[in-house]
Amino acid sequence: MSRAQAESVIKKIIREVVQRCAQRGQPVSDTLVAFMVKAVVLDPRNGFNDDRTLTKQDIQQLEELCLDQLMETCSPSLDTIKMQVYFDMNYTSRREFLEDIHQVVESNLSTVSREITDSRVKTREELDALYCKMVSYILLRSGMGSPTDVSTMQEATAALQSVFPQTELGSFMVLLKRDKEQQLRELTMIVTGIRLFNKANDKREEKTDLYKLIPAVHSEALRVTSTGLEEDLSLSQSLAQKYTAVLEKLTDPDSQCEECDVPILRLKQALYNVRQHEAFLSMLLADARLCAKQFENMQTEFSSQMKLLKETVHSKTAVPTAKAFPAFKALSQFWIGLQDEVELLNILNNIRLNLQPFTASQAKLFSEAYLDGLLGTSEVKTDEQRMVESSDERIVPAEMKTQEWLLPETACFNRIPLQYNGICGYTLVNRDGLLLPGNPHVGVLKHKEKFYVFSSKEAALKFASCPDTFIAEVAKKVKRSPELIQLLKLYQQFPSLSPYSEMQPGEILLVKPIKCESGTQTDLHPVETKIVKSYEWNEWGLRRKAVKRTDLCTKVTHSVQTDLSHMRRENVTQTWLSKNTTCQSKRDGESHVPKPQTFLAGLRGQRDANMIKANLTRSVDE
């Protein structure tokens, strides 16, 4: 099947599955259906072959399998996939989040900005209305109050009049639109800085606290987001530890488990669900802590800037604008940065809240009381306890010289990209899908430019004895549980299943990709750097250095020259005399063809006489 044909088939399948799901009252996104189609094709139990063209019966079977999995109720596996799709479609880097926040602000203010920059006022009333619009624009952009509040409008108007009186509107109107927009932004920053300075002076405190200037809603966002993330993460970690302990007990080959009707498959799916939720919450919490750190840094810089501005303003009766305006702009920058952090925290908190419904199925299937009953007297170990217990076991590279091991003493050890997202691959295979975090301090195996960690020394040695076999077994496990592809970060191993945020609904699914594993290593400095600064490649540069070094003007004999050396030098010229030679050139010749000559008589002198023509051509023989 060609690429174009495969894309056409998959688009048709996705469209059909989406419609049938909507008809059954379960709306799904194209991205979710596209991933589910890929997962069904990837699962070897379904019998699809990448190299075989899909028949009409195959397409029908594929649609039915996708519908069955998408319509499944109370499925932790499906909820995990939905959680992954949602997170990848809504979460991005900090820089992109801030760019989106700024774009939303610009979009919301575009109408007001256009009314100001495109206005053509003529009367006094129109000038007053334009000035009020500028004040409203400044309030909306700064976020310090609402234009509907009379006291806030009066305060902002007074601050604007101090730097931009209404009489300056005439010069503002003649500017280009681009310059008008730039001046509006600068006026917003200056007015915002003035209002912050005035609010800080009302506090009458030596050290200005940014927390006391921000609205209560902003302070609440800083507190609620971090607290909510920490509580949800603690709950997910506790559940993950319980599920891990239960599955560790049930999959232990040495113990005789009395429970025969325990749904181990569902327990594993629930473990994957909780582990994925934990991973996402950890990412959100790291971003929230970075926001708090940024806010603390801004608090320190804001206090120092406010103190400097107070000293500048209070010590003089009149402050030059060249000193005051940059200080006000700096205060405004801190305020804008604070608003960005608050908006980012709100986004993170919304993502946290929207992740909670995706964990409902596992909570409904297995209550904590049920898990406690399965545990019995078994100990529930945290990930930190497992790390401490296995840290005493360390790989000795001499025990297995055929493999390359990295130990904690290795440079940049903490920044090594671990395979399977830090999960022990041996336990995943040996315990039929159990997820145990690996301990890098035991030793990191480097195999084919990839790095593997293990939960114990025994697991490390057994995995290292035949790593390719275990890697293939992990791939088989992942094909049967597609939610593990994202959880273990195995996109390179399964290139046909790309991250959801990079996936297009019509992306190729059934064509086998071309892939190649390769690795290169280049020494940073194969030859030690040795720069000879006295080296000169230019011949004329060497001559200049020689003349400069000679320095004849300072020598005793600089004016004593001989007849042969004074303004002269010996020259030798070699010449070549011209040679007498001949050459062959073209000569003109003629043939012996008679030259025709004709004479006409009687052309003039006679009125009615006839013209006589005489042939005077001479013969060749003459």
Side-chain angles (χ1 to χ4, degrees), residues 109 127 166 203 255 278 329 424 449 459 461 495 505 526 558 589 608 620:
L109 294 174
L127 283 173
Q166 196 167 349
K203 300 296 181 182
S255 65
E278 177 189 355
K329 288 182 180 180
C424 177
E449 304 302 326
L461 293 176
H558 73 280
D608 298 328
V620 180

Side-chain angles (χ1 to χ4, degrees), residues 153-218:
M153 282 290 292
Q154 291 176 351
E155 180 185 350
T157 303
L160 180 60
Q161 287 177 346
S162 64
V163 296
F164 185 78
Q166 196 167 349
T167 56
E168 297 291 333
L169 281 176
S171 59
F172 176 81
M173 294 301 300
V174 298
L175 295 176
L176 297 175
K177 183 175 182 178
R178 180 180 63 256
D179 297 333
K180 289 180 182 179
E181 294 173 350
Q182 178 64 25
Q183 188 167 358
L184 279 175
R185 286 191 287 267
E186 291 184 358
L187 288 174
T188 302
M189 296 180 68
I190 295 172
V191 171
T192 304
I194 292 173
R195 295 184 63 199
L196 288 171
F197 178 73
N198 293 336
K199 288 181 178 292
N201 282 337
D202 293 341
K203 300 296 181 182
R204 301 183 184 279
E205 296 178 357
E206 182 178 355
K207 183 178 179 182
T208 305
D209 192 355
L210 194 55
Y211 283 101
K212 297 180 180 180
L213 298 180
I214 63 178
V217 177
H218 293 182

Side-chain angles (χ1 to χ4, degrees), residues 398-452:
E399 296 179 0
M400 186 172 287
K401 298 181 179 180
T402 57
Q403 300 291 349
E404 183 178 356
W405 297 91
L406 302 180
L407 298 176
E409 294 78 14
T410 308
C412 303
F413 183 76
N414 294 328
R415 294 197 294 269
I416 296 176
L418 301 177
Q419 194 71 0
Y420 305 142
N421 200 16
I423 297 297
C424 177
Y426 173 79
T427 306
L428 181 66
V429 175
N430 193 44
R431 292 293 188 92
D432 194 22
L434 176 62
L435 300 183
L436 282 185
N439 187 359
H441 293 278
V442 173
V444 178
L445 172 65
K446 182 179 180 182
H447 179 69
K448 294 183 178 179
E449 304 302 326
K450 294 180 180 179
F451 304 92
Y452 302 86

